[in-house]
């Protein structure tokens, strides 16, 4: 099974991209970039309600025949996108939400690092380890 996990800054350029396994990475990049339009549509549809929340789990953005694409956005408009196999019926909405919260917490730790420049690509061994372990749990 394949599971990409991607983070995008408010301007929609990637801060972090991870795929397990890596053989279909290009296909997943296309799927994830396509989903950013859906994320932006959902954010604009929610309007001011988004401002009142600290984080926003967008839920299922759209399903394809093979995959389900989920989204999450922080109050600073950083977007998280996760793609999971449609055949994985063990993953419920609350598990996906929990995974996004873990990602958000780890991302917050990176932002608190005085040596990290906001907007730079994320290069963190701790973040990689957390993402890899989370992805392996889902496989």
């Amino acid at each position: 099974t394949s599971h990409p996990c991607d983070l995008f800054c408010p301007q929609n350029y990637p801060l972090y991209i991870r795929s397990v396994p890596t053989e279909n990475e290009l296909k997943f990049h296309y799927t994830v970039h396509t989903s950013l339009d859906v994320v932006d549509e959902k954010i604009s549809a929610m309007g001011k309600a988004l401002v009142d929340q600290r984080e926003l789990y967008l839920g299922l953005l759209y399903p394809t025949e093979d995959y389900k694409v989920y989204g999450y956005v922080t109050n600073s408009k950083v977007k998280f996108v996760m793609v999971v196999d449609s055949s994985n019926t063990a993953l419920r909405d609350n598990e996906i939400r929990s995974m996004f919260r873990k990602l958000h917490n780890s991302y917050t730790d990176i932002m608190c690092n005085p040596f990290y420049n906001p907007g730079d690509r994320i290069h963190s061994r701790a973040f990689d380890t957390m993402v890899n372990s989370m992805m392996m749990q889902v496989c």
Side-chain angles (χ1 to χ4, degrees):
T1 57
S2 302
H3 302 280
C5 170
D6 303 289
L7 275 75
F8 293 88
C9 75
Q11 294 78 26
N12 286 345
Y13 65 83
L15 299 175
Y16 184 86
I17 297 173
R18 177 73 60 201
S19 255
V20 176
T22 57
E23 62 245 14
N24 290 329
E25 201 165 310
L26 188 59
K27 176 183 174 183
F28 286 125
H29 288 303
Y30 175 77
T31 302
V32 168
H33 277 281
T34 306
S35 68
L36 290 175
D37 292 336
V38 179
V39 169
D40 289 338
E41 285 173 22
K42 285 194 173 216
I43 290 171
S44 62
M46 295 182 158
K48 292 191 178 200
L50 177 61
V51 176
D52 298 333
Q53 298 181 18
R54 296 180 63 203
E55 61 189 46
L56 185 62
Y57 172 61
L58 300 174
L60 182 65
L61 299 177
Y62 65 90
T64 67
E65 190 174 311
D66 301 317
Y67 305 103
K68 293 178 184 172
V69 182
Y70 293 91
Y72 180 97
V73 65
T74 68
N75 61 335
S76 59
K77 305 284 192 292
V78 173
K79 300 159 188 107
F80 294 60
V81 176
M82 196 179 315
V83 182
V84 297
D85 285 331
S86 290
S87 62
N88 189 338
T89 55
L91 273 180
R92 304 257 184 254
D93 209 48
N94 58 340
E95 282 100 359
I96 297 288
R97 183 186 300 264
S98 174
M99 290 166 66
F100 276 123
R101 285 200 181 120
K102 272 186 177 175
L103 283 169
H104 190 178
N105 288 338
S106 292
Y107 174 74
T108 302
D109 290 344
I110 290 169
M111 293 301 295
C112 291
N113 181 340
F115 299 106
Y116 176 74
N117 293 321
D120 286 355
R121 299 276 313 239
I122 295 171
H123 301 286
S124 164
R125 194 174 308 155
F127 193 77
D128 283 342
T129 302
M130 187 278 306
V131 169
N132 287 336
S133 69
M134 188 175 67
M135 293 171 101
M136 290 306 168
Q137 288 175 357
V138 182
C139 288

